[in-house]
Amino acid sequence: MRRNRYVVVAGCGRLGSGIAARLSASGDSVVIIDREESAFAGLPPEFSGFRIEGDASRLSVLKAAKVDEADFLIAATGSDNVNLMAAQVAKRTFGVARVLARVYDPTKEKMYSGLGIVTVCPTSTAAEMFFRVMTEEPSGRGEASL
Amino acid sequence: MKALIIGGGTSIYFLCRNLASRGFRVAVIDRDPEVCGRLSRFLPVEVVCADGSDAGVLEEAGARKAELVLAVTGNDADNLVACQLASMEFGVPRTAALANDPENAEAFQDLGVPSFSIAEVVGSLIEQRASLREITNVLPAGGGKVIVTELVLQENSPVAGKLLKEVALPENSLVAILIRGEETIVPRGGNDLRAGDRLVLVTLPDNHGPAIRAVTGERSGTGGGV
């Protein structure tokens, strides 16, 4: 069995709560951060991680989440800028080995992917998939995945 | 020279005027339409009502030609990203981000973004004043346009033993009151200054530091290049 990992997730929206629940269910130690306490209602009852109410773009909140001990930080708040800041601070100030950030703006995604942050841009990913499906031969093979 | 200011509301009015007087063409980006309306009514600046941490908006506001970008919104993440976009995407040579949370100033430095925090700037100003032991009281008057400082002349003061008219005070500064023991004098050029005298100085903010230095001989008020 692989070693138990310590993961900090910023943002408890659909993406954050979903990934936090999954990691927690598979045995990882998870801390999830959100500005709004009510957001934690989106977590499943079996979620066994910690919840921290606070702004992930504040150093004190990241410290409280013990980001310096984390193996991963996943920045999935609704704000690109908060995600980019939390990810960079986790990397530079707290030395987290692997950081991932969701970034909606493709321009920012391109710029920050060069800075040691794994960026995921739903906008360009979706555009890419749409484009691929539309340029594929209509053989019926790819349609099942839609 | 072009300067871009992002956010800050109507409080950046004087900053804009100051930059304009130093020869900058100033453009302001603010999200609040009301703020934009007021600034453009009272200042000869270009105003863009939008999100200043968006690359397209920065470009529209002239980031490519800007020498200086100041990001002073109430949101630290927005300020950081605006400065990073300005320097990395548009090659702006000088940027500075406001850290609303003073702790974040440290994080910004780690990321190579020059930053300042109001709490620190004000704190260091207070410290500089307080570190001069002869200064007993500082108060702003006239809505901050005038500074009234009370201080006690020390033995090593360069003005102790001189007549007031022999003292080279900077322009727009005045020794308004001299208190010696029980005596309170509104001094004239013929009055002498002695160690132990309590002086009340009236200065304008610009020459407050030089005036204090002239009287105490110590260096103060040099910091805060914001």
Side-chain angles (χ1 to χ4, degrees):
Chain A
M1 213 186 111
R2 71 172 163 74
R3 152 187 111 79
N4 164 283
R5 300 176 297 186
Y6 180 38
V7 185
V8 176
V9 179
C12 193
R14 279 188 289 263
L15 175 61
S17 65
I19 188 88
R22 226 168 123 175
L23 291 168
S24 164
S26 67
D28 289 318
S29 303
V30 180
V31 172
I32 187 155
I33 303 170
D34 203 286
R35 270 193 315 191
E36 303 287 339
E37 213 223 324
S38 58
F40 298 129
L43 290 165
E46 63 272 20
F47 175 74
S48 63
F50 287 95
R51 303 161 171 85
I52 290 181
E53 187 186 342
D55 182 343
S57 64
R58 295 191 64 170
L59 217 63
S60 57
V61 172
L62 294 177
K63 271 183 199 159
K66 296 205 168 65
V67 167
D68 54 327
E69 294 170 20
D71 301 302
F72 285 88
L73 176 118
I74 297 172
T77 75
S79 156
D80 277 2
N81 295 348
V82 170
N83 293 344
L84 289 168
M85 178 166 171
Q88 291 185 88
V89 170
K91 183 113 198 147
R92 294 287 158 76
T93 304
F94 295 106
V96 179
R98 307 197 62 186
V99 296
L100 300 93
R102 184 221 350 235
V103 182
Y104 285 109
D105 180 345
T107 311
K108 287 179 189 165
E109 193 237 349
K110 230 169 59 199
M111 189 177 100
Y112 285 95
S113 60
L115 294 178
I117 297 166
V118 178
T119 51
V120 177
C121 180
T123 317
S124 39
T125 306
E128 185 57 37
M129 285 176 74
F130 288 171
F131 185 78
R132 219 171 50 212
V133 170
M134 290 171 73
T135 50
E136 262 172 13
E137 291 295 314
S139 64
R141 222 190 78 231
E143 281 165 28
S145 65
L146 285 178
Chain B
M1 287 192 296
K2 170 141 194 158
L4 266 181
I5 304 174
I6 299 157
T10 46
S11 65
I12 60 165
Y13 177 83
F14 292 103
L15 177 61
C16 290
R17 270 209 338 203
N18 185 309
L19 287 169
S21 75
R22 294 184 198 201
F24 278 99
R25 277 185 304 118
V26 181
V28 177
I29 307 175
D30 202 294
R31 273 180 168 154
D32 185 340
E34 202 182 309
V35 167
C36 292
R38 279 211 230 163
L39 287 176
S40 60
R41 220 172 307 137
F42 296 113
L43 285 170
V45 298
E46 185 192 338
V47 179
V48 180
C49 192
D51 171 10
S53 67
D54 181 281
V57 171
L58 284 170
E59 181 155 32
E60 186 197 327
R64 257 180 226 294
K65 289 183 186 152
E67 297 278 318
L68 173 68
V69 167
L70 294 175
V72 290
T73 76
N75 182 312
D76 286 353
D78 290 355
N79 293 342
L80 174 72
V81 171
C83 284
Q84 289 185 313
L85 280 171
S87 74
M88 288 192 265
E89 282 287 302
F90 302 110
V92 177
R94 280 154 65 204
T95 66
L98 168 65
N100 295 276
D101 176 350
E103 272 201 300
N104 281 345
E106 181 191 323
F108 286 1
Q109 304 291 357
D110 287 348
L111 298 171
V113 174
S115 71
F116 56 93
S117 96
I118 299 298
E120 262 167 39
V121 170
V122 173
S124 77
L125 283 176
I126 291 169
E127 227 166 70
Q128 281 170 20
R129 301 285 184 266
S131 69
L132 283 174
R133 59 204 153 87
E134 52 266 67
I135 295 184
T136 56
N137 207 353
V138 181
L139 67 135
K145 293 193 183 97
V146 180
I147 300 177
V148 180
T149 310
E150 186 178 339
L151 54 83
V152 181
L153 286 187
Q154 307 290 310
E155 295 286 350
N156 61 1
S157 158
V159 302
K162 284 191 182 173
L163 295 179
L164 184 53
K165 65 182 173 198
E166 296 166 344
V167 175
L169 279 175
E171 253 181 65
N172 293 321
S173 57
L174 174 73
V175 178
I177 305 283
L178 190 166
I179 302 165
R180 181 175 296 155
E182 295 300 302
E183 210 179 352
T184 303
I185 309 159
V186 177
R188 299 192 170 271
N191 286 99
D192 68 329
L193 303 173
R194 297 181 203 162
D197 284 352
R198 189 175 288 273
L199 304 183
V200 177
L201 284 178
V202 179
T203 60
L204 301 191
D206 278 351
N207 50 31
H208 175 72
I212 299 295
R213 276 199 291 284
V215 175
T216 64
E218 283 187 50
R219 296 190 58 77
S220 82
T222 51
V226 174

